[in-house]
């Protein structure tokens, strides 16, 4: 898509560099009288183009080429960030599957624990039924999570064209926020390539309007040719040779480019208004995502501590249940709390990564010189 945008802008530039074709003129005149006689002329008519529209059109095409380059950068950036967002989604989904599968194995192992307890009767039967019901319900959640993870991975591999290895629960590979926030400081929202493209397109429209107004200056046309006149006088035919020069001057009484200039100016106004709108939107989104990223990062220690405490709670609950000091409901509640704490850690890592990518999208940069250079390269 980026190459296509560049090719279209380059074609417009080449179109303005093409010189107008000269015109071959051949005329033949015959005098219908008793004396007879005829005349013929052959020559070339060339438009001079003294109004200067061609130069302004070339400048406008050069600006459109620059606008197309910025638009191509925006296209590459959007797709790069979309791929990274897909990677975050697939990695988070895979990490959730690992947590759910581990929890499923832990729930299934409770059956052996319950059967091994010395207490019998209805209480043990109830505990076993409660455990089996909870395990079946949880297994459905595992299947749903696997389906979501498989779909996200297939999309990612389809976009990449190669197999993709996911980090599993090593979500630190998704990156953090403080370093991103530090890099993002001082980057204005108006630096977005889409905004630059619109502003450059507005300048190109201004050049088009100036070129259109130059139609008020007539473009002269010059004709130079060879002339031969044959006449019969007293029965004798004689031919006179010479040249013919002509000058054509259009009369720009009615159409002197005012309609074309008005359309170009209107296009420039739309481009500038759109650029201003995007600039405000990007500035607002950058502030919002920065604040969100700060708050999410501030909650990271609490979530990590909660996950550790929940894991200890799960282990203690299993020991107390085996000792007969805890009910099956309390044991399952502890298991759910441990699972929710581990899933909350994944949700937080995903939220931080998504907020970070949202900040990059608002700023129009990946905050990495190497990646920005790759997305800015266009033939």
């Amino acid at each position: 898509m980026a190459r296509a945008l560049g090719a279209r802008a380059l074609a417009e530039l080449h179109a303005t560099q093409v010189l107008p074709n000269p015109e071959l003129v051949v005329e033949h005149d015959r005098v219908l009288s008793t004396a007879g006689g005829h005349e013929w002329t052959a020559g070339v008519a060339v438009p001079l183009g003294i109004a200067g529209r061609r130069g302004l059109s070339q400048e406008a095409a050069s600006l459109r080429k620059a606008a197309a380059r910025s638009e191509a950068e925006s296209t590459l950036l959007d797709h790069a960030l979309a791929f990274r967002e897909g990677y975050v989604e697939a990695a988070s989904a895979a990490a959730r599957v690992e947590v759910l599968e581990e929890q499923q194995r832990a729930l299934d192992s409770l059956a052996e624990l319950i059967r091994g307890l010395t207490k019998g009767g209805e209480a043990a039967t109830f505990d076993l039924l409660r455990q089996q019901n909870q395990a079946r319900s949880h297994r459905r959640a595992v299947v749903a999570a696997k389906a979501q993870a498989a779909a996200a991975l297939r999309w990612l591999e389809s976009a990449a064209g190669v197999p993709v290895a996911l980090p599993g629960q090593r979500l630190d590979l998704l990156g953090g926020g403080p370093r991103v926030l530090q890099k993002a400081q001082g980057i204005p929202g108006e630096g977005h390539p889409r905004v630059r493209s619109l502003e450059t397109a507005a300048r190109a429209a201004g050049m088009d309007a100036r070129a259109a107004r130059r139609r008020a200056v007539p473009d002269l046309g010059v004709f130079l040719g060879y002339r031969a006149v044959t006449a019969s006088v007293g029965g004798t035919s004689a031919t006179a040779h010479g040249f013919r020069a002509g000058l054509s001057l259009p009369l720009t009484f009615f159409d002197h480019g005012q309609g074309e200039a008005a359309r170009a100016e209107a296009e420039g106004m739309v481009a500038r208004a759109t650029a201003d709108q995007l600039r405000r939107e990007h500035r607002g989104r950058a502030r919002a995502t920065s604040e969100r990223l700060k708050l999410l990062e501030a909650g990271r220690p609490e979530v990590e501590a909660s996950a550790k405490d929940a894991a200890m709670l799960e282990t203690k609950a299993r020991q107390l249940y085996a000792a007969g000091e805890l009910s099956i409901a309390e044991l399952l509640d502890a298991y759910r709390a441990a699972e929710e704490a581990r899933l909350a850690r994944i949700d937080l890592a995903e939220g931080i990564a998504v907020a970070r990518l949202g900040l990059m999208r608002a700023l129009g940069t990946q905050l990495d010189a190497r990646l920005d250079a790759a997305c800015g390269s266009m033939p």
Side-chain angles (χ1 to χ4, degrees):
M1 186 63 185
R3 285 193 295 268
L5 290 170
R8 185 177 66 180
L10 192 60
E12 292 185 10
L13 181 60
H14 286 168
T16 61
Q17 294 173 346
V18 178
L19 294 173
N21 292 321
E23 182 180 0
L24 176 64
V25 180
V26 178
E27 297 179 351
H28 180 270
D29 299 324
R30 178 172 291 277
V31 178
L32 300 177
S33 66
T34 56
H38 63 272
E39 174 185 348
W40 66 275
T41 303
V44 176
V46 180
L48 296 182
I50 62 175
R53 297 187 63 197
R54 183 167 174 267
L56 291 174
S57 297
Q58 288 179 348
E59 290 184 36
S62 299
L63 288 173
R64 281 193 290 270
K65 181 183 177 183
R69 184 179 185 86
S70 297
E71 184 67 22
E73 291 180 14
S74 178
T75 298
L76 289 169
L77 175 66
D78 288 342
H79 284 76
L81 293 178
F83 179 82
R84 296 179 69 174
E85 288 168 351
Y87 180 83
V88 170
E89 179 184 357
S92 301
R96 290 189 184 94
V97 169
E98 287 189 19
V99 169
L100 292 173
E101 285 182 337
E102 290 177 5
Q103 193 70 8
Q104 186 64 44
R105 289 191 292 270
L107 285 173
D108 291 339
S109 68
L110 283 180
E112 297 299 326
L113 176 64
I114 294 172
R115 292 191 185 96
L117 293 178
T118 56
K119 63 178 181 178
E122 295 296 328
T125 302
F126 173 81
D127 288 358
L128 187 59
L129 288 173
R130 181 71 182 272
Q131 176 272 331
Q132 290 175 347
N133 180 71
Q134 183 69 24
R136 291 191 188 98
S137 177
H138 191 272
R139 195 171 290 112
R140 290 194 296 270
V142 174
V143 172
K146 283 184 175 180
Q148 182 179 357
L153 180 60
R154 293 300 173 269
W155 180 92
L156 195 64
E157 291 181 339
S158 176
V162 294
V164 177
L166 298 174
Q169 294 188 46
R170 291 186 55 202
L171 294 179
D172 56 298
L173 295 180
L174 298 182
R179 184 167 55 91
V180 171
L181 287 171
Q182 185 177 4
K183 286 185 176 182
Q185 290 179 356
I187 298 179
E190 54 267 20
H192 197 284
R194 175 64 176 160
V195 174
R196 294 200 307 270
S197 174
L198 289 168
E199 290 178 340
T200 307
R203 292 199 299 272
M207 284 291 180
D208 287 333
R210 289 179 57 190
R213 292 193 188 94
R214 291 291 180 90
R215 292 180 62 180
V217 180
D219 281 336
L220 298 179
V222 175
F223 171 78
L224 293 174
Y226 167 76
R227 182 187 183 197
V229 180
T230 302
S232 297
V233 180
T236 303
S237 178
T239 302
H241 303 276
F243 70 92
R244 183 177 179 181
L247 185 68
S248 63
L249 178 65
L251 301 179
T252 58
F253 291 155
F254 306 109
D255 183 7
H256 44 80
Q258 68 272 31
E260 186 178 347
R263 285 194 296 268
E265 288 176 346
E267 291 178 1
M269 290 176 62
V270 171
R272 290 189 188 91
T274 306
D276 290 339
Q277 178 186 1
L278 285 178
R279 187 182 294 107
R280 289 192 299 270
E281 290 180 358
H282 291 153
R283 189 180 297 116
R285 289 177 181 174
R287 291 175 180 173
T289 50
S290 296
E291 189 64 23
R292 179 186 176 191
L293 197 53
K294 290 178 183 177
L295 294 175
L296 288 174
E297 281 291 341
R300 186 192 289 269
E302 182 67 24
V303 172
E304 294 290 345
S306 177
K308 293 180 180 179
D309 293 343
M312 294 177 58
L313 177 65
E314 182 181 21
T315 303
K316 284 290 186 179
R318 186 181 179 94
Q319 294 173 353
L320 291 174
Y321 178 77
E325 299 180 8
L326 210 64
S327 66
I328 187 64
E330 292 172 321
L331 176 61
L332 295 177
D333 285 344
Y335 270 61
R336 274 194 298 270
E339 181 184 62
E340 290 173 357
R342 296 173 66 187
L343 291 177
R345 179 176 174 271
I346 297 172
D347 293 341
L348 178 64
E350 182 182 17
I352 290 174
V354 170
R356 180 189 60 177
L357 295 175
L359 181 60
M360 295 177 185
R361 191 181 295 278
L363 295 176
T365 173
Q366 297 191 72
L367 301 174
D368 185 295
R370 182 170 53 90
L371 292 178
D372 285 338
C375 288
S377 60
M378 205 182 76

